[in-house]
Amino acid sequence: HGSDRMDDFNDAESKKELSLLKNSAQEVMSGLRETLWTLNAKSISNFDFCDKLKVYIKKHLLCECIITDTINEEYIIPNEDVLALYRCCQEIINNINKHSKATKVLITFTSDSQTRLGITTIDNGIGFTETEKEESYGLRNIKARMNKINAEVSIHSEINKGTRIEIKY
């Protein structure tokens, strides 16, 4: 009868793997939908883009989040830039979920005469050191993407004092 238990265990494992696979397939699909939206939309304003990001954040961020939006100037953002900004925000949310142990995140969207879109995320997580920052693939990726579209990014973190990431496009 020992093999019955093993079959049950394998069944449970298979179900778990299937469910994980289904979730990652859904994530890939929704990622593709977002990508297609950014590439197919005729013109995307910072307002539209912000609304899209808010939906993404509320759906994916695993802790409490306060979003402030003080965008009052409308700008059209080229589709490739929207995609780069979107990917960066995904990376930031992913990092908060995976590494920060944060319980609260403040996200602010701004625009003014110099900045078509400003995105600031501040979390109360465990933070990281300069060395960890230099070695982080995700953070290097964010900087490279922002560099490519001439956006400024500043990343400031202190151990046990959280992280602040500011993007100015």
Side-chain angles (χ1 to χ4, degrees):
H1 287 294
S3 71
D4 285 352
R5 257 191 232 120
M6 204 56 202
D7 288 346
D8 289 346
F9 175 75
N10 287 338
D11 261 7
E13 278 300 290
S14 299
K15 279 195 181 114
K16 199 168 109 188
E17 279 176 25
L18 266 174
S19 145
L20 286 172
L21 197 61
K22 197 172 135 201
N23 286 345
S24 65
Q26 282 167 343
E27 272 174 34
V28 168
M29 287 306 292
S30 95
L32 281 174
R33 267 195 297 277
E34 300 305 343
T35 305
L36 289 170
W37 170 77
T38 58
L39 295 176
N40 290 333
K42 289 286 171 277
S43 65
I44 301 167
S45 73
N46 50 355
F47 292 118
D48 299 336
F49 181 48
C50 245
D51 291 343
K52 218 39 168 169
L53 276 176
K54 286 177 199 167
V55 171
Y56 179 85
I57 292 161
K58 286 178 183 140
K59 191 174 163 191
H60 292 89
L61 189 65
L62 303 173
C63 63
E64 189 192 337
C65 181
I66 297 164
I67 297 174
T68 315
D69 177 349
T70 60
I71 293 180
N72 40 30
E73 198 76 41
E74 186 172 18
Y75 294 101
I76 297 300
I77 304 174
N79 298 28
E80 295 76 38
D81 295 6
V82 167
L83 193 56
L85 287 159
Y86 192 83
R87 293 278 179 259
C88 280
C89 291
Q90 284 181 311
E91 184 71 51
I92 291 167
I93 298 303
N94 196 19
N95 285 347
I96 293 171
N97 287 341
K98 266 194 181 158
H99 309 293
S100 77
K101 298 188 169 63
T103 56
K104 197 178 242 175
V105 180
L106 303 174
I107 298 177
T108 312
F109 295 108
T110 53
S111 72
D112 55 41
S113 54
Q114 282 90 40
T115 309
R116 286 166 287 181
L117 181 61
I119 305 167
T120 304
T121 57
I122 302 170
D123 70 53
N124 66 350
I126 57 172
F128 50 82
T129 64
E130 269 307 304
T131 318
E132 288 172 311
K133 177 171 130 182
E134 295 313 312
E135 288 168 3
S136 158
Y137 172 73
L139 294 176
R140 279 208 311 264
N141 214 346
I142 289 172
K143 285 186 166 169
R145 280 185 204 271
M146 293 301 89
N147 213 353
K148 217 171 178 175
I149 63 167
N150 297 315
E152 288 171 39
V153 60
S154 70
I155 302 170
H156 181 75
S157 188
E158 277 182 66
I159 295 298
N160 299 324
K161 288 193 179 164
T163 300
R164 177 190 181 103
I165 298 179
E166 209 169 335
I167 292 171
K168 284 186 173 185
Y169 170 77

